[in-house]
Amino acid sequence: MPLRAMLPLPLLLAALAVAAAAAGAPRPHPLDPLSAAELTAVRAAVLASPLVPARPLTFHYVGLDEPDKPDVLSYAYGGGGGASRHALPRRAFVIARAGGESHELRVDVANASSPSVLSHAVHRGAGFPTLTLEEQFAAVALPPKHPPFVESVRRRGVDMDDVLCAVFPVGWFGGDGEPRRSRVAKVLCFVAGATANFYARPLEGVTLVVDLDRMAIVGYRDRVAYPVPKAEGTDYRAGKAGPPYAGPAPAPGVVVQPEGRGFHIDGHVVRWANWEFHVGFDMRAGTVISLASVHDADADAGGARRRRQVLYRGFVSEIFVPYMDPVEEWYYRTFLDAGEYGLGLWAFPLQPGGDCPANAAYLDGHYSGQDGRPVEARNMICVFERYSGDVAWRHTEAGFPNQLITEVRPDVSLVARMVVSAGNYDYILDWEFKTSGSIKLVVSLTGLLEVKATAYAHADEVAQDAHGTLVAENTIAVYHDHYVTYHLDLDVDGTNNSFVKNIVTAVVRDADADAAADTPRRSYWTVRREVAEREADGQVDLGGGAPADLVFVNPGKKTRMGNEVGYRVVPGGATAASVLADDDFPQRRAAYCKKQVRVTPYSRSEKWASGLYADQSTGGDGLAAWSERDRAIRGEDIVLWYTVGLHHVPYQEDFPVMPTLSGGLELRPSNFFERNPLLTTMPIGHGRPLVNCSCAGGDSISR
């Protein structure tokens, strides 16, 4: 039955208006995020569907229900055998709450004038969907109306007008049998007043429990009172932190590109140098990079440009942040930032000249609010060329008599950046594409520490295990971890790949037993090649065992020298793994953090390391559980899961705002090209002036 026949008149008129507005729009790329018009159509279809009769109905996730991978690859690279270039479906996947249940719907929005619900299911397992922004705002408005809380604030000598609150997921701490049906969160409060850094001034010991479906306080405790830390010295804003400033200010500078930007953005497709890729947006994952392919000049045939596949789809799947204080107000702080809060929901407009340089271009996004209406998010992602002063490659040769040969190529890369401000922490998430064929993934942490109020005023008073560092008077910054897990569906020159561990192995020669040992060399190392057969073989602890090169190879593609083409996985620092007990409840929810590298066969439904329903999840639907199936991964379409991890021991320099700390990984070609691809890249400024502007003097260097 066509949906149009079922729509109430107001929704029908809205859908028709959307259709009229979208009629002249070009057909979207199959991986484009849902547009405002499509989100509006999704809302109309869900609200009109008799499959979800309960009200009120709230939208918790609306994202692209991506087409089948073979069809997308056929669309992007041709080759036949898949859907035609103009016939791929446009569908949305929706998680909505109504009647105390989580409903999953798939909605066809290919025709915005007649959207239709294709399927419906009710989630019966453990866990709940992402918290909406609106319900968090509603929850933090409850404490000032709760008399016991008002009395707690009065006893501490705090003005209620200075109090701000935040919502904290409760985690999961037992009860494997019956999934928890009560959707609750804890609300903790802080004192702002004379500082923007209210996280530095907690009302320690006070906890409220809110039922999010009923939007009512169902629990309250004022367990212990500590002095509220002072506001002095906590504000990070320039007008509050200084002047006076220490030392001279660095000289200002700008990036100048006399011929304009070197990249081109067509909708969501970015083309730069030898790279082409698609930039998407998701309210849970944030930035999504898809169909990254590199142009190989040495592989061109008949004058036709050849694009070679590298990455089908990549995004941050989860950020796990457990704190290390076991007391009542802290033990449950074991955040799953993507699944509980939504990285895209907490990505705010980027600041030109601060977050991104002057030569950046910006991409906007849309997501669904709690009522299903589209919300525009301006300047969510920036794209810019980075001129860092680094060297791509160089050599100076002094071996020729009376001649010095120097050849240098400056390193220029393209960066796609998003910044996620998940409560107190800020995550700067970079995807950096290099002309060498590498992709660097960098996560940089900054923002504000989560601190605990205490009676301690000096380090000499601190007990043996205070669970953190005294960073200011009455202020302990609690120990914690950060685990950023990437979902990277690598397709190295095709979908049939294998995971290889090239293990560095020491060899000690026995001069007496080795007849060929006719040199004084006693030891060396060689490489032992291991091809992972099953998922258990694809799990790697980077801190244990012998060092190894980790490579995704395509066994069906070889160079002219006979080497399998591949891409290496190069750790870029921050390789900590969780040290929590395996049977501890937070660790069971995020068991995948015990290994930094995991490889699984591609599955369209396996996207979120913490499972589809992360809030109050039990760990039964996620990366660690999938890996236990021990499926075959040799010569298959496989996915790399890489966790950037660090143990954060705070120091005073991290307070009141933390200097940026970075980690990540690099996907680096390994026998993918016949030679260094930079040799076929034209040097910057070749045959024309190279301008280096320092603003103040306008000096230039010409070549």
PDB file of all heavy atoms in Angstrom, residues 643-656:
ATOM      1  N   THR A 643      42.718  -0.114  17.541  1.00  0.00           N
ATOM      2  CA  THR A 643      42.431   0.684  18.732  1.00  0.00           C
ATOM      3  C   THR A 643      43.652   1.492  19.138  1.00  0.00           C
ATOM      4  O   THR A 643      44.708   0.932  19.449  1.00  0.00           O
ATOM      5  CB  THR A 643      41.993  -0.214  19.904  1.00  0.00           C
ATOM      6  OG1 THR A 643      40.766  -0.869  19.561  1.00  0.00           O
ATOM      7  CG2 THR A 643      41.773   0.612  21.161  1.00  0.00           C
ATOM      8  N   VAL A 644      43.506   2.807  19.089  1.00  0.00           N
ATOM      9  CA  VAL A 644      44.505   3.724  19.631  1.00  0.00           C
ATOM     10  C   VAL A 644      44.227   3.846  21.123  1.00  0.00           C
ATOM     11  O   VAL A 644      43.122   4.211  21.537  1.00  0.00           O
ATOM     12  CB  VAL A 644      44.405   5.109  18.955  1.00  0.00           C
ATOM     13  CG1 VAL A 644      45.410   6.079  19.570  1.00  0.00           C
ATOM     14  CG2 VAL A 644      44.621   4.989  17.453  1.00  0.00           C
ATOM     15  N   GLY A 645      45.219   3.493  21.956  1.00  0.00           N
ATOM     16  CA  GLY A 645      44.973   3.474  23.392  1.00  0.00           C
ATOM     17  C   GLY A 645      46.042   4.177  24.187  1.00  0.00           C
ATOM     18  O   GLY A 645      47.222   4.144  23.835  1.00  0.00           O
ATOM     19  N   LEU A 646      45.624   4.844  25.254  1.00  0.00           N
ATOM     20  CA  LEU A 646      46.614   5.433  26.158  1.00  0.00           C
ATOM     21  C   LEU A 646      46.072   5.443  27.586  1.00  0.00           C
ATOM     22  O   LEU A 646      44.876   5.614  27.821  1.00  0.00           O
ATOM     23  CB  LEU A 646      47.022   6.841  25.714  1.00  0.00           C
ATOM     24  CG  LEU A 646      45.972   7.944  25.631  1.00  0.00           C
ATOM     25  CD1 LEU A 646      45.851   8.679  26.959  1.00  0.00           C
ATOM     26  CD2 LEU A 646      46.345   8.942  24.554  1.00  0.00           C
ATOM     27  N   HIS A 647      46.980   5.201  28.517  1.00  0.00           N
ATOM     28  CA  HIS A 647      46.693   5.348  29.939  1.00  0.00           C
ATOM     29  C   HIS A 647      47.024   6.790  30.315  1.00  0.00           C
ATOM     30  O   HIS A 647      48.160   7.236  30.112  1.00  0.00           O
ATOM     31  CB  HIS A 647      47.544   4.400  30.772  1.00  0.00           C
ATOM     32  CG  HIS A 647      47.413   2.956  30.384  1.00  0.00           C
ATOM     33  ND1 HIS A 647      46.212   2.289  30.373  1.00  0.00           N
ATOM     34  CD2 HIS A 647      48.351   2.053  29.984  1.00  0.00           C
ATOM     35  CE1 HIS A 647      46.399   1.041  29.993  1.00  0.00           C
ATOM     36  NE2 HIS A 647      47.685   0.870  29.745  1.00  0.00           N
ATOM     37  N   HIS A 648      46.054   7.512  30.845  1.00  0.00           N
ATOM     38  CA  HIS A 648      46.270   8.924  31.141  1.00  0.00           C
ATOM     39  C   HIS A 648      46.487   9.119  32.636  1.00  0.00           C
ATOM     40  O   HIS A 648      45.547   9.017  33.431  1.00  0.00           O
ATOM     41  CB  HIS A 648      45.083   9.762  30.656  1.00  0.00           C
ATOM     42  CG  HIS A 648      45.351  11.233  30.704  1.00  0.00           C
ATOM     43  ND1 HIS A 648      44.466  12.164  30.229  1.00  0.00           N
ATOM     44  CD2 HIS A 648      46.417  11.935  31.155  1.00  0.00           C
ATOM     45  CE1 HIS A 648      44.972  13.375  30.407  1.00  0.00           C
ATOM     46  NE2 HIS A 648      46.153  13.256  30.968  1.00  0.00           N
ATOM     47  N   VAL A 649      47.731   9.377  32.981  1.00  0.00           N
ATOM     48  CA  VAL A 649      48.088   9.811  34.333  1.00  0.00           C
ATOM     49  C   VAL A 649      48.166  11.333  34.279  1.00  0.00           C
ATOM     50  O   VAL A 649      49.087  11.882  33.671  1.00  0.00           O
ATOM     51  CB  VAL A 649      49.440   9.220  34.776  1.00  0.00           C
ATOM     52  CG1 VAL A 649      49.819   9.729  36.165  1.00  0.00           C
ATOM     53  CG2 VAL A 649      49.390   7.704  34.750  1.00  0.00           C
ATOM     54  N   PRO A 650      47.207  12.047  34.831  1.00  0.00           N
ATOM     55  CA  PRO A 650      47.212  13.511  34.693  1.00  0.00           C
ATOM     56  C   PRO A 650      48.368  14.156  35.457  1.00  0.00           C
ATOM     57  O   PRO A 650      48.840  13.644  36.483  1.00  0.00           O
ATOM     58  CB  PRO A 650      45.858  13.922  35.300  1.00  0.00           C
ATOM     59  CG  PRO A 650      45.021  12.683  35.281  1.00  0.00           C
ATOM     60  CD  PRO A 650      45.994  11.557  35.496  1.00  0.00           C
ATOM     61  N   TYR A 651      48.790  15.318  34.946  1.00  0.00           N
ATOM     62  CA  TYR A 651      49.814  16.125  35.589  1.00  0.00           C
ATOM     63  C   TYR A 651      49.309  17.562  35.663  1.00  0.00           C
ATOM     64  O   TYR A 651      48.319  17.926  35.020  1.00  0.00           O
ATOM     65  CB  TYR A 651      51.133  16.036  34.817  1.00  0.00           C
ATOM     66  CG  TYR A 651      51.724  14.640  34.827  1.00  0.00           C
ATOM     67  CD1 TYR A 651      51.472  13.751  33.791  1.00  0.00           C
ATOM     68  CD2 TYR A 651      52.494  14.201  35.906  1.00  0.00           C
ATOM     69  CE1 TYR A 651      51.987  12.456  33.819  1.00  0.00           C
ATOM     70  CE2 TYR A 651      53.012  12.916  35.938  1.00  0.00           C
ATOM     71  CZ  TYR A 651      52.751  12.043  34.890  1.00  0.00           C
ATOM     72  OH  TYR A 651      53.255  10.772  34.929  1.00  0.00           O
ATOM     73  N   GLN A 652      50.009  18.377  36.438  1.00  0.00           N
ATOM     74  CA  GLN A 652      49.542  19.746  36.644  1.00  0.00           C
ATOM     75  C   GLN A 652      49.496  20.541  35.343  1.00  0.00           C
ATOM     76  O   GLN A 652      48.669  21.442  35.195  1.00  0.00           O
ATOM     77  CB  GLN A 652      50.423  20.462  37.679  1.00  0.00           C
ATOM     78  CG  GLN A 652      50.133  20.009  39.108  1.00  0.00           C
ATOM     79  CD  GLN A 652      50.911  20.808  40.134  1.00  0.00           C
ATOM     80  OE1 GLN A 652      51.708  20.254  40.875  1.00  0.00           O
ATOM     81  NE2 GLN A 652      50.688  22.110  40.182  1.00  0.00           N
ATOM     82  N   GLU A 653      50.366  20.180  34.395  1.00  0.00           N
ATOM     83  CA  GLU A 653      50.340  20.886  33.112  1.00  0.00           C
ATOM     84  C   GLU A 653      49.057  20.612  32.328  1.00  0.00           C
ATOM     85  O   GLU A 653      48.736  21.329  31.379  1.00  0.00           O
ATOM     86  CB  GLU A 653      51.555  20.489  32.264  1.00  0.00           C
ATOM     87  CG  GLU A 653      52.880  21.016  32.778  1.00  0.00           C
ATOM     88  CD  GLU A 653      53.475  20.156  33.881  1.00  0.00           C
ATOM     89  OE1 GLU A 653      52.838  19.161  34.275  1.00  0.00           O
ATOM     90  OE2 GLU A 653      54.583  20.473  34.340  1.00  0.00           O
ATOM     91  N   ASP A 654      48.320  19.563  32.702  1.00  0.00           N
ATOM     92  CA  ASP A 654      47.052  19.252  32.039  1.00  0.00           C
ATOM     93  C   ASP A 654      45.901  20.088  32.586  1.00  0.00           C
ATOM     94  O   ASP A 654      44.757  19.933  32.126  1.00  0.00           O
ATOM     95  CB  ASP A 654      46.711  17.770  32.225  1.00  0.00           C
ATOM     96  CG  ASP A 654      47.704  16.853  31.544  1.00  0.00           C
ATOM     97  OD1 ASP A 654      48.371  17.300  30.601  1.00  0.00           O
ATOM     98  OD2 ASP A 654      47.819  15.682  31.972  1.00  0.00           O
ATOM     99  N   PHE A 655      46.172  20.941  33.554  1.00  0.00           N
ATOM    100  CA  PHE A 655      45.129  21.708  34.234  1.00  0.00           C
ATOM    101  C   PHE A 655      45.413  23.197  34.105  1.00  0.00           C
ATOM    102  O   PHE A 655      46.563  23.611  34.219  1.00  0.00           O
ATOM    103  CB  PHE A 655      45.095  21.294  35.711  1.00  0.00           C
ATOM    104  CG  PHE A 655      43.964  21.888  36.499  1.00  0.00           C
ATOM    105  CD1 PHE A 655      42.699  21.320  36.469  1.00  0.00           C
ATOM    106  CD2 PHE A 655      44.155  23.033  37.266  1.00  0.00           C
ATOM    107  CE1 PHE A 655      41.657  21.874  37.199  1.00  0.00           C
ATOM    108  CE2 PHE A 655      43.119  23.587  37.988  1.00  0.00           C
ATOM    109  CZ  PHE A 655      41.866  23.006  37.956  1.00  0.00           C
ATOM    110  N   PRO A 656      44.428  24.050  33.872  1.00  0.00           N
ATOM    111  CA  PRO A 656      42.993  23.741  33.767  1.00  0.00           C
ATOM    112  C   PRO A 656      42.545  23.254  32.394  1.00  0.00           C
ATOM    113  O   PRO A 656      41.419  22.793  32.262  1.00  0.00           O
ATOM    114  CB  PRO A 656      42.349  25.085  34.075  1.00  0.00           C
ATOM    115  CG  PRO A 656      43.316  26.089  33.539  1.00  0.00           C
ATOM    116  CD  PRO A 656      44.675  25.505  33.808  1.00  0.00           C
TER     117      PRO A 656
END
